[in-house]
Amino acid sequence: MTLVYGHRGFSGIYPENTMLAFEKAYEAGADGIEFDVQLTKDGIPVIMHDENTLRTTGQDFFVKDLSLEEFLRLDTGYVKSGRFGFTPPPTLREVMAFCAEKNFRMNIELKTGVFEYDGIEQIVADMLKEFGLSETVLVSSFNHFSVLRFRRIMPEVRVGLLEESWVLNAGAYCKSLGAEDYNPTVCFLNDETVAELRANGRGINTWTVNSEEEMRRTLRYSVEIGISNWPDRYLKLRRELCGE
Ligand code: G3P
Ligand code: CA
Protein backbone atom coordinates (compact mmCIF):
# COMPACT_ATOMS: atom_id res chain seq x y z
CA MET A 1 0.00 0.00 0.00
CA THR A 2 1.16 3.51 -0.72
CA LEU A 3 1.74 5.48 2.45
CA VAL A 4 0.59 9.09 2.26
CA TYR A 5 2.81 11.70 3.93
CA GLY A 6 2.18 15.37 4.49
CA HIS A 7 4.81 17.51 2.79
CA ARG A 8 6.22 20.11 5.21
CA GLY A 9 3.13 22.30 4.88
CA PHE A 10 -0.48 21.28 4.68
CA SER A 11 -2.64 22.54 1.82
CA GLY A 12 -0.79 25.83 1.82
CA ILE A 13 -3.12 26.82 4.63
CA TYR A 14 -0.73 26.44 7.56
CA PRO A 15 2.80 27.83 7.88
CA GLU A 16 5.16 25.21 6.47
CA ASN A 17 7.45 23.06 8.57
CA THR A 18 5.56 23.86 11.77
CA MET A 19 4.03 21.70 14.45
CA LEU A 20 0.67 23.09 13.38
CA ALA A 21 1.09 21.77 9.82
CA PHE A 22 2.27 18.40 11.12
CA GLU A 23 -0.64 18.15 13.55
CA LYS A 24 -3.08 18.92 10.73
CA ALA A 25 -1.53 16.18 8.57
CA TYR A 26 -1.95 13.76 11.48
CA GLU A 27 -5.56 14.82 12.05
CA ALA A 28 -6.27 14.31 8.33
CA GLY A 29 -5.21 10.68 8.71
CA ALA A 30 -1.85 10.86 6.93
CA ASP A 31 0.58 8.02 7.58
CA GLY A 32 3.47 10.38 8.24
CA ILE A 33 5.21 13.65 7.45
CA GLU A 34 8.21 14.77 5.46
CA PHE A 35 10.35 17.63 6.77
CA ASP A 36 13.80 19.19 6.50
CA VAL A 37 16.44 19.23 9.24
CA GLN A 38 19.30 21.71 9.68
CA LEU A 39 21.59 22.61 12.59
CA THR A 40 21.67 25.84 14.53
CA LYS A 41 24.98 27.53 15.40
CA ASP A 42 25.03 25.61 18.67
CA GLY A 43 24.46 22.29 16.91
CA ILE A 44 20.77 21.73 17.68
CA PRO A 45 18.73 19.98 14.96
CA VAL A 46 15.78 22.13 13.91
CA ILE A 47 13.11 22.06 11.24
CA MET A 48 13.28 24.60 8.42
CA HIS A 49 13.03 24.17 4.66
CA ASP A 50 15.28 26.93 3.34
CA GLU A 51 18.81 27.55 4.59
CA ASN A 52 17.80 31.17 4.94
CA THR A 53 14.85 32.07 7.13
CA LEU A 54 13.62 35.12 5.16
CA ARG A 55 10.92 33.48 3.03
CA THR A 56 9.14 31.75 5.89
CA THR A 57 9.74 34.16 8.78
CA GLY A 58 10.45 37.57 7.24
CA GLN A 59 13.80 37.62 9.07
CA ASP A 60 16.95 37.42 6.96
CA PHE A 61 19.24 34.90 8.68
CA PHE A 62 20.89 31.62 7.91
CA VAL A 63 19.83 28.85 10.28
CA LYS A 64 23.49 27.96 10.77
CA ASP A 65 24.22 31.46 12.16
CA LEU A 66 21.47 31.44 14.81
CA SER A 67 21.64 29.98 18.29
CA LEU A 68 18.69 27.80 19.27
CA GLU A 69 17.38 30.63 21.43
CA GLU A 70 17.48 33.04 18.49
CA PHE A 71 15.95 30.46 16.16
CA LEU A 72 13.00 29.93 18.48
CA ARG A 73 12.27 33.66 18.44
CA LEU A 74 11.47 33.45 14.69
CA ASP A 75 7.81 33.52 13.73
CA THR A 76 6.74 31.31 10.85
CA GLY A 77 3.21 32.61 11.33
CA TYR A 78 4.48 35.79 9.66
CA VAL A 79 3.70 34.47 6.17
CA LYS A 80 0.07 33.95 7.13
CA SER A 81 -0.36 37.56 8.25
CA GLY A 82 -0.46 36.68 11.92
CA ARG A 83 -3.55 34.51 11.43
CA PHE A 84 -2.15 31.78 13.65
CA GLY A 85 -0.39 34.01 16.15
CA PHE A 86 3.24 33.53 17.10
CA THR A 87 4.34 30.19 15.57
CA PRO A 88 7.99 29.35 16.20
CA PRO A 89 9.58 26.70 13.99
CA PRO A 90 10.02 23.40 15.84
CA THR A 91 13.11 21.54 16.90
CA LEU A 92 13.67 17.97 15.73
CA ARG A 93 13.22 16.86 19.35
CA GLU A 94 9.69 18.30 19.45
CA VAL A 95 8.73 16.64 16.20
CA MET A 96 10.19 13.29 17.22
CA ALA A 97 8.37 13.43 20.56
CA PHE A 98 5.12 14.12 18.70
CA CYS A 99 5.70 11.29 16.20
CA ALA A 100 6.72 8.84 18.91
CA GLU A 101 3.60 9.62 20.93
CA LYS A 102 1.24 9.40 17.95
CA ASN A 103 2.96 6.48 16.27
CA PHE A 104 3.31 8.76 13.23
CA ARG A 105 5.94 8.07 10.58
CA MET A 106 8.69 10.47 9.52
CA ASN A 107 10.71 11.12 6.41
CA ILE A 108 13.64 13.17 7.65
CA GLU A 109 15.37 15.09 4.88
CA LEU A 110 18.94 15.97 5.88
CA LYS A 111 19.25 19.47 4.42
CA THR A 112 22.90 19.12 3.60
CA GLY A 113 22.85 20.29 -0.01
CA VAL A 114 24.21 23.80 0.55
CA PHE A 115 25.78 23.64 4.01
CA GLU A 116 26.89 20.19 5.11
CA TYR A 117 26.35 20.73 8.86
CA ASP A 118 29.24 18.76 10.22
CA GLY A 119 27.97 15.93 12.44
CA ILE A 120 24.27 16.22 11.54
CA GLU A 121 24.04 12.55 10.60
CA GLN A 122 25.29 11.43 14.04
CA ILE A 123 23.02 13.90 15.84
CA VAL A 124 19.93 12.68 13.99
CA ALA A 125 20.92 9.04 14.51
CA ASP A 126 21.39 9.54 18.26
CA MET A 127 17.97 11.12 18.57
CA LEU A 128 16.29 8.37 16.56
CA LYS A 129 17.81 5.83 18.93
CA GLU A 130 16.69 7.85 21.95
CA PHE A 131 13.07 7.92 20.73
CA GLY A 132 13.12 4.37 19.38
CA LEU A 133 11.98 5.47 15.93
CA SER A 134 14.52 3.70 13.75
CA GLU A 135 12.11 1.09 12.40
CA THR A 136 9.59 3.44 10.83
CA VAL A 137 11.73 6.42 9.81
CA LEU A 138 13.03 7.10 6.33
CA VAL A 139 16.14 9.30 6.03
CA SER A 140 16.84 11.03 2.72
CA SER A 141 18.95 13.79 1.20
CA PHE A 142 19.90 15.34 -2.12
CA ASN A 143 23.44 15.07 -0.80
CA HIS A 144 24.17 11.38 -1.36
CA PHE A 145 27.44 11.65 0.57
CA SER A 146 25.34 12.66 3.56
CA VAL A 147 23.01 9.68 3.05
CA LEU A 148 25.99 7.34 3.01
CA ARG A 149 27.45 8.94 6.14
CA PHE A 150 24.13 8.35 7.88
CA ARG A 151 23.94 4.81 6.54
CA ARG A 152 27.33 3.96 8.06
CA ILE A 153 26.14 5.19 11.47
CA MET A 154 22.72 3.52 11.38
CA PRO A 155 22.70 0.69 8.85
CA GLU A 156 19.34 -0.53 10.18
CA VAL A 157 17.48 2.60 9.03
CA ARG A 158 15.95 2.82 5.56
CA VAL A 159 17.52 5.52 3.39
CA GLY A 160 16.44 7.18 0.14
CA LEU A 161 18.37 9.15 -2.46
CA LEU A 162 16.59 12.36 -3.46
CA GLU A 163 16.79 13.44 -7.11
CA GLU A 164 15.11 16.05 -9.26
CA SER A 165 16.19 15.18 -12.78
CA TRP A 166 15.93 12.47 -15.42
CA VAL A 167 18.31 9.92 -13.94
CA LEU A 168 19.16 6.83 -16.00
CA ASN A 169 19.49 3.50 -14.18
CA ALA A 170 18.38 5.02 -10.89
CA GLY A 171 17.66 1.59 -9.41
CA ALA A 172 21.11 0.27 -10.25
CA TYR A 173 22.63 3.45 -8.84
CA CYS A 174 20.73 3.18 -5.54
CA LYS A 175 21.54 -0.50 -5.30
CA SER A 176 25.24 0.12 -5.89
CA LEU A 177 25.25 2.50 -2.90
CA GLY A 178 23.13 0.22 -0.71
CA ALA A 179 20.23 2.70 -0.58
CA GLU A 180 16.89 0.90 -0.33
CA ASP A 181 14.89 3.72 -1.87
CA TYR A 182 14.85 6.30 -4.64
CA ASN A 183 13.04 9.60 -3.96
CA PRO A 184 12.39 11.41 -7.25
CA THR A 185 10.22 14.39 -8.09
CA VAL A 186 6.92 12.92 -9.22
CA CYS A 187 7.24 14.32 -12.76
CA PHE A 188 10.28 12.07 -13.38
CA LEU A 189 8.39 8.91 -12.54
CA ASN A 190 7.37 6.98 -15.64
CA ASP A 191 6.86 3.33 -16.62
CA GLU A 192 10.48 2.84 -17.61
CA THR A 193 11.94 4.32 -14.43
CA VAL A 194 9.53 2.41 -12.21
CA ALA A 195 10.29 -0.87 -14.01
CA GLU A 196 14.05 -0.35 -13.63
CA LEU A 197 13.69 0.51 -9.93
CA ARG A 198 11.52 -2.53 -9.27
CA ALA A 199 13.88 -4.79 -11.24
CA ASN A 200 16.62 -3.63 -8.89
CA GLY A 201 14.42 -4.18 -5.83
CA ARG A 202 14.30 -0.49 -4.85
CA GLY A 203 11.46 1.31 -3.07
CA ILE A 204 10.00 4.54 -4.47
CA ASN A 205 9.12 7.63 -2.42
CA THR A 206 7.99 10.53 -4.55
CA TRP A 207 7.05 14.20 -4.16
CA THR A 208 5.25 16.47 -4.37
CA VAL A 209 2.13 14.56 -5.36
CA ASN A 210 -0.43 17.33 -5.64
CA SER A 211 -2.57 16.92 -8.77
CA GLU A 212 -5.20 14.21 -9.15
CA GLU A 213 -3.30 12.78 -12.11
CA GLU A 214 -0.14 12.47 -9.99
CA MET A 215 -2.09 10.87 -7.17
CA ARG A 216 -3.65 8.33 -9.52
CA ARG A 217 -0.33 7.55 -11.24
CA THR A 218 1.57 7.00 -7.98
CA LEU A 219 -1.19 4.79 -6.59
CA ARG A 220 -1.11 2.79 -9.83
CA TYR A 221 2.65 2.37 -9.43
CA SER A 222 2.11 1.39 -5.77
CA VAL A 223 4.93 3.68 -4.69
CA GLU A 224 5.96 3.11 -1.10
CA ILE A 225 5.44 6.74 -0.05
CA GLY A 226 3.64 9.59 -1.80
CA ILE A 227 4.41 12.97 -0.26
CA SER A 228 1.72 15.58 -0.77
CA ASN A 229 0.67 19.07 0.22
CA TRP A 230 -2.87 17.70 0.06
CA PRO A 231 -2.75 14.49 2.11
CA ASP A 232 -6.52 14.70 2.71
CA ARG A 233 -7.32 14.56 -1.04
CA TYR A 234 -4.72 11.86 -1.60
CA LEU A 235 -6.12 9.72 1.22
CA LYS A 236 -9.64 10.09 -0.18
CA LEU A 237 -8.48 8.90 -3.58
CA ARG A 238 -6.52 6.05 -2.01
CA ARG A 239 -9.71 4.91 -0.26
CA GLU A 240 -11.67 5.10 -3.52
CA LEU A 241 -9.10 3.32 -5.69
CA CYS A 242 -7.42 0.97 -3.26
CA GLY A 243 -10.03 0.62 -0.55
CA GLU A 244 -7.49 1.56 2.13
O1 G3P B 1 11.77 15.13 0.32
C1 G3P B 1 10.91 15.54 -0.68
C2 G3P B 1 11.01 17.01 -0.95
O2 G3P B 1 10.65 17.72 0.21
C3 G3P B 1 12.35 17.46 -1.40
O3 G3P B 1 12.40 18.77 -1.84
O4 G3P B 1 12.82 21.16 -1.68
O5 G3P B 1 10.62 20.29 -1.03
O6 G3P B 1 12.58 19.87 0.39
P1 G3P B 1 12.08 20.08 -1.00
CA1 CA C 1 12.04 18.40 2.03
Side-chain angles (χ1 to χ4, degrees):
M1 179 187 71
T2 294
L3 298 177
V4 170
Y5 280 27
H7 181 242
R8 62 182 150 98
F10 182 92
S11 320
I13 298 169
Y14 307 101
E16 67 179 70
N17 267 327
T18 57
M19 284 310 301
L20 186 60
F22 300 154
E23 283 160 12
K24 292 296 171 187
Y26 177 77
E27 285 166 21
D31 301 294
I33 40 173
E34 184 275 350
F35 54 85
D36 311 84
V37 175
Q38 305 182 47
L39 293 186
T40 58
K41 188 169 66 176
D42 36 0
I44 307 299
V46 292
I47 313 303
M48 175 71 57
H49 180 264
D50 303 353
E51 287 79 7
N52 186 286
T53 60
L54 182 61
R55 181 179 64 87
T56 54
T57 72
Q59 302 281 313
D60 188 4
F61 300 110
F62 285 104
V63 173
K64 70 177 180 62
D65 296 331
L66 295 174
S67 66
L68 176 65
E69 199 187 333
E70 290 163 337
F71 180 82
L72 293 176
R73 272 192 238 127
L74 297 170
D75 182 11
T76 58
Y78 149 89
V79 288
K80 302 295 174 191
S81 315
R83 208 164 112 221
F84 300 103
F86 175 65
T87 313
T91 62
L92 180 60
R93 177 168 293 281
E94 277 179 84
V95 177
M96 277 205 197
F98 173 74
C99 290
E101 192 209 320
K102 304 286 188 196
N103 205 15
F104 201 34
R105 291 171 177 264
M106 302 182 295
N107 173 189
I108 298 179
E109 180 185 341
L110 301 171
K111 205 79 182 188
T112 44
V114 176
F115 306 116
E116 285 212 277
Y117 297 111
D118 190 26
I120 192 171
E121 298 86 4
Q122 185 71 56
I123 290 168
V124 169
D126 288 346
M127 206 174 278
L128 282 170
K129 283 180 198 152
E130 182 188 331
F131 282 94
L133 291 169
S134 56
E135 273 181 35
T136 53
V137 71
L138 170 77
V139 172
S140 57
S141 182
F142 286 103
N143 181 338
H144 300 175
F145 289 93
S146 183
V147 173
L148 292 188
R149 281 196 289 275
F150 180 83
R151 163 45 47 92
R152 279 194 285 275
I153 299 166
M154 261 190 127
E156 68 273 31
V157 165
R158 202 171 179 94
V159 293
L161 302 180
L162 277 161
E163 270 295 346
E164 49 187 341
S165 58
W166 292 105
V167 175
L168 282 172
N169 303 319
Y173 173 65
C174 292
K175 193 174 180 179
S176 74
L177 297 180
E180 290 86 357
D181 291 359
Y182 184 57
N183 295 25
T185 321
V186 67
C187 62
F188 301 119
L189 213 48
N190 58 20
D191 291 356
E192 194 177 334
T193 302
V194 170
E196 195 273 342
L197 285 161
R198 295 312 191 196
N200 280 285
R202 300 303 102 180
I204 302 167
N205 311 307
T206 188
W207 48 281
T208 307
V209 186
N210 282 340
S211 71
E212 186 175 328
E213 185 280 322
E214 290 162 346
M215 291 177 188
R216 285 181 181 276
R217 185 155 44 93
T218 52
L219 291 169
R220 182 161 52 80
Y221 286 142
S222 294
V223 301
E224 274 66 19
I225 300 173
I227 302 169
S228 176
N229 287 329
W230 298 96
D232 45 353
R233 296 178 188 172
Y234 206 176
L235 288 160
K236 185 166 173 280
L237 199 61
R238 185 178 75 178
R239 273 193 300 276
E240 283 167 24
L241 299 180
C242 315
E244 297 153 338

